[in-house]
Amino acid sequence: MTDNKALPPVVSAEEWEKARAELLTAEKEATRAQDRIAAQRRRLPMVRFGEYTFASTGGPVTLRDLFGEHQQLALYQFMHNGPDHFCPGCTHFTKQVTDLDGLARNGLAWATVSDMPLDQMAGYWKQKEWTVPFASSAGTTFSADCGAGGGFLLNLFLRDGEDVYRTYSTGQRGVDRILFVNNMLDLAPYGRQEAWEDSPEGWPQYPTYG
């Protein structure tokens, strides 16, 4: 993008330190609130989830199979927008799914499923050069049973032996908040530059995914 003419006001070092300290107080309050929410999240009950069989490039896989050797599973539901159409938000999200080894070291497996046909998923994964494990939930009621419907959703599961339980799910801004790029842009002067943001007059802003 070209340089923007809208700029934050220039102040003295002392004024900047004062403004930064005020923001830091608000940031610490938000951090403590997030810690409380995380503690509440760890105390959520769980619900037993049914058995599902998905299609993968290696053959049929069950929901239990996606855990591998781990006890926990994060499972992202990638939207199905029809033949030759791919959700830009899910694409943006999937590009940022990294360090799965780091998750695995903490006992958490990751996989992505979609109601897209397997061939469509496989072709898109190859085009994007993604290494994220994936399977097709087409022909199953999995996305509907999760409450995703035709949308996207992140689910967390826990297994006890062969029994699988859902412990948490989130969508919309709950998914948005874990993205590296989005969080870094939130720290930058111009933010994400998306039309919905509350930004100063004259700040560059464009349609989301535009």
Side-chain angles (χ1 to χ4, degrees):
M1 294 183 180
T2 58
D3 289 345
N4 295 294
K5 297 185 181 300
L7 301 171
V10 178
V11 298
S12 67
E14 291 76 14
E15 290 175 294
W16 184 88
E17 290 287 355
K18 180 181 178 182
R20 178 67 188 97
E22 291 174 353
L23 177 60
L24 182 60
T25 297
E27 289 177 333
K28 286 184 177 295
E29 289 174 355
T31 297
R32 286 190 287 269
Q34 287 292 341
D35 288 343
R36 291 192 295 272
I37 292 170
Q40 184 177 355
R41 189 181 296 117
R42 290 190 294 272
R43 288 167 173 79
L44 276 175
M46 61 185 184
V47 60
R48 189 166 183 170
F49 226 63
E51 298 180 3
Y52 301 87
T53 300
F54 309 123
S56 79
T57 54
V61 293
T62 65
L63 178 60
R64 167 64 186 85
D65 291 335
L66 296 178
F67 284 80
E69 62 184 12
H70 304 297
Q71 191 175 6
Q72 304 170 99
L73 170 68
L75 191 60
Y76 181 70
Q77 186 80 26
F78 195 115
M79 287 180 66
H80 174 33
N81 287 352
D84 303 319
H85 293 281
F86 301 94
C87 171
C90 292
T91 299
H92 178 62
F93 179 88
T94 304
K95 286 192 297 186
Q96 297 178 63
V97 177
T98 60
D99 196 14
L100 297 186
D101 289 342
L103 295 181
R105 285 194 294 273
N106 288 277
L108 179 64
W110 178 284
T112 298
V113 298
S114 175
D115 285 343
M116 284 188 279
L118 179 60
D119 288 348
Q120 185 179 354
M121 286 191 79
Y124 200 49
W125 256 243
K126 183 178 180 180
Q127 175 188 333
K128 295 296 183 180
E129 299 182 341
W130 289 337
T131 58
V132 177
F134 67 92
S136 172
S137 53
T140 76
T141 60
F142 179 76
S143 63
D145 294 344
C146 287
F152 63 91
L153 198 70
L154 179 64
N155 282 287
L156 276 297
F157 295 96
L158 184 72
R159 68 174 179 86
D160 180 18
E162 296 302 309
D163 295 327
V164 174
Y165 301 87
R166 182 160 67 155
T167 63
Y168 179 71
S169 69
T170 188
Q172 306 300 325
R173 295 297 299 277
V175 170
D176 174 270
R177 71 178 178 81
I178 66 177
L179 294 176
F180 171 75
V181 169
N182 291 13
N183 280 283
M184 284 304 304
L185 291 175
D186 284 341
L187 303 180
Y190 292 129
R192 304 183 197 182
Q193 303 180 39
E194 296 181 359
W196 62 268
E197 289 181 285
D198 180 1
S199 295
E201 184 73 24
W203 251 227
Q205 290 183 288
Y206 308 94
T208 303
Y209 308 125

